[in-house]
Amino acid sequence: MSLAHRQPLTENSFLRYLCGMNGLSEKIESLKKEIDAFSIQNTQELESYRIHFLGTKGLVKSLMGEMKQVPAEDKRAAGQLLNEFKVFAEAKYDLAKDGLENNETQDNETDWSLPGNEIATGSRHPISLMRNRIIEIFQRLGFSVADGPEIEDDWHNFTALNLPEDHPARDMQDTFYIQQEPAILLRTHTSNVQIREMKKGKLPIRMIMPGRVYRNETISARSHCFFHQVEGLYIDEQVSFADLKQTLYFFVKEMFGQNVKVRFRPSYFPFTEPSAEMDISCMLCDSKGCSVCKKTGWLEILGCGMVHPKVLENCGLDSNKYSGFAFGMGIERPTMLKYGIKDIRLFSENDIRFLQQFTGAY
Ligand code: DAH
């Protein structure tokens, strides 16, 4: 039954609202608005709020006190309303109190409008930049990228490449041995990946194989005991030396500019026949001759040739049916040329001042 039809029980203003549950809820709504509007910016205001609403003589308590005068059948509903109101009033107090306490522990000296600390961004290593450029150019010609192990056995690094034990050409590629008999070593070139890919027998092969290689060399400004190479391999029916030349012409023009001149010099590698070394015109002195090109006007950039039939056979490929070309180039030298780096040791010293110069470089 609604309280609306009852007589007021006392003069207390509260009872006017209790004349009906509707009246009570209206009163509570308006008190809630009053609470919402109550601004608590400091501890004094917090205390006034507490006294006004939650204190022993506060509104919540006095409303509660009137409960005893509510008829029994309405007690439950009125109690619920008042309880909710109490929780509402207390929540605002707790929230404001927490806020003020946190503020007190904050450092008010800090100027929050200052710009934040810069987040350090890394940079690509110049060797990676150059490797990625090489990959990108060959990918445009349809070459894919293959990878192989740096710790290699003797067969893949030497014997299969037509460099049998006691072959004098092995002398030029002395390396570090992990184990003797059977010999496990740090690969001296990326040519081992040629063998691994050919042995898979999936033809045609059109791949480039970048990676790190090792040699037992004295470390100086020009040579190191580890460096990087990119190997190239193209095996199919009827691949000719003309294909080799056109592929490499395209590469150097994309890499060093359309005006670069190229020359092939006959050379010797046990795994190719015929073999050649490819030079490009020195861009530092415009082919006039400088200390970098040793006054020749030419810079040697890679070795190449037609894959030796014996190498094809070592990998189980029919050398009467298939032919192909291969090439191998170092990454350090063209990188040094491109960025004017004078000492190869800088690449691996991890000097942040050196590395930071390549932030944003392409
Ligand atoms: N592997 C040779 C080296 O490290 C470079 C090389 C020359 C690779 C001729 C080749 C090639 O694939 O055909 O000196």
Side-chain angles (χ1 to χ4, degrees):
M1 196 211 283
S2 159
L3 291 173
H5 312 292
R6 295 178 188 282
Q7 283 290 102
L9 295 173
T10 74
E11 292 297 311
N12 189 306
S13 65
F14 168 70
L15 289 178
R16 285 203 298 276
Y17 304 110
L18 288 186
C19 281
M21 290 299 286
N22 287 343
L24 177 62
S25 64
E26 266 166 35
K27 171 64 182 171
I28 284 179
E29 281 316 306
S30 93
L31 283 175
K32 277 184 176 174
K33 281 193 189 121
E34 199 184 312
I35 285 176
D36 279 337
F38 202 111
S39 149
I40 306 175
Q41 300 295 339
N42 49 45
T43 43
Q44 287 96 317
E45 284 171 356
L46 180 72
E47 186 57 4
S48 337
Y49 177 91
R50 192 189 65 76
I51 293 166
H52 186 63
F53 292 102
L54 307 170
T56 29
K57 291 183 182 142
L59 257 165
V60 171
K61 276 261 160 63
S62 81
L63 281 174
M64 293 289 188
E66 302 301 338
M67 270 296 284
K68 55 181 177 293
Q69 299 178 35
V70 175
E73 62 267 41
D74 291 329
K75 266 199 165 45
R76 209 181 134 87
Q80 217 165 24
L81 274 176
L82 289 175
N83 237 346
E84 275 164 24
F85 175 64
K86 182 176 172 239
V87 169
F88 182 86
E90 283 172 350
K92 164 130 182 171
Y93 177 81
D94 292 342
L95 202 73
K97 191 167 174 239
D98 283 354
L100 287 174
E101 276 169 5
N102 283 345
N103 268 352
E104 272 162 25
T105 57
Q106 265 171 18
D107 161 20
N108 290 324
E109 301 294 301
T110 307
D111 178 355
W112 298 105
S113 67
L114 286 175
N117 292 335
E118 213 178 300
I119 297 169
T121 45
S123 57
R124 287 224 187 280
H125 193 280
I127 294 292
S128 302
L129 290 170
M130 182 56 72
R131 182 200 56 211
N132 292 350
R133 292 184 81 208
I134 297 170
I135 289 174
E136 196 198 292
I137 294 169
F138 280 104
Q139 275 180 334
R140 273 190 265 150
L141 288 175
F143 282 70
S144 56
V145 180
D147 204 6
E150 288 176 26
I151 299 174
E152 188 55 287
D153 57 49
D154 185 279
W155 191 79
H156 286 91
N157 193 79
F158 292 126
T159 312
L161 286 157
N162 209 18
L163 269 152
E165 252 175 82
D166 307 323
H167 193 292
R170 279 202 183 196
D171 278 358
M172 287 155 60
Q173 300 200 2
D174 187 19
T175 184
F176 305 98
Y177 284 76
I178 307 281
Q179 164 189 307
Q180 309 260 356
E181 286 169 42
I184 304 291
L185 45 91
L186 297 184
R187 69 175 175 189
T188 57
H189 48 189
T190 42
S191 305
N192 66 325
V193 196
Q194 283 192 35
I195 301 300
R196 291 189 172 272
E197 288 303 324
M198 283 192 276
K199 262 179 38 183
K200 288 181 188 165
K202 269 197 232 146
L203 294 167
I205 295 172
R206 197 156 51 185
M207 284 175 171
I208 47 166
M209 308 142 192
R212 185 176 296 149
V213 301
Y214 303 81
R215 304 253 173 115
N216 185 8
E217 299 245 354
T218 308
I219 297 170
S220 71
R222 291 176 63 85
S223 63
H224 212 295
C225 60
F226 63 84
F227 51 99
H228 299 77
Q229 289 186 334
V230 177
E231 194 83 7
L233 180 66
Y234 192 158
I235 308 280
D236 203 351
E237 293 179 33
Q238 310 208 333
V239 179
S240 73
F241 205 90
D243 297 317
L244 162 65
K245 286 179 98 173
Q246 283 309 316
T247 305
L248 293 178
Y249 281 152
F250 177 82
F251 167 68
V252 290
K253 293 202 171 187
E254 290 298 300
M255 188 72 167
F256 300 104
Q258 295 301 313
N259 295 329
V260 72
K261 287 196 246 357
V262 178
R263 76 174 184 187
F264 285 85
R265 278 180 296 108
S267 185
Y268 172 74
F269 299 103
F271 32 91
T272 43
E273 181 59 38
S275 305
E277 268 169 277
M278 193 176 93
D279 299 341
I280 56 167
S281 48
C282 180
M283 67 285 263
L284 297 177
C285 61
D286 216 4
S287 301
K288 289 191 182 71
C290 63
S291 63
V292 177
C293 65
K294 296 194 199 117
K295 309 259 182 261
T296 63
W298 294 98
L299 297 165
E300 181 194 318
I301 64 156
L302 57 81
C304 59
M306 301 306 292
V307 178
H308 198 293
K310 241 177 151 175
V311 174
L312 294 171
E313 298 292 340
N314 286 343
C315 299
L317 301 180
D318 182 351
S319 61
N320 290 317
K321 187 171 175 201
Y322 294 108
S323 58
F325 66 79
F327 58 87
M329 74 182 104
I331 302 184
E332 270 75 358
R333 278 213 63 205
T335 312
M336 291 168 85
L337 284 172
K338 178 168 167 63
Y339 296 113
I341 298 163
K342 299 226 159 56
D343 192 321
I344 198 171
R345 290 169 290 199
L346 284 165
F347 288 131
S348 49
E349 278 171 352
N350 259 352
D351 186 333
I352 200 95
R353 292 167 304 176
F354 170 73
L355 298 170
Q356 271 172 347
Q357 293 176 54
F358 299 92
T359 307
Y362 168 73

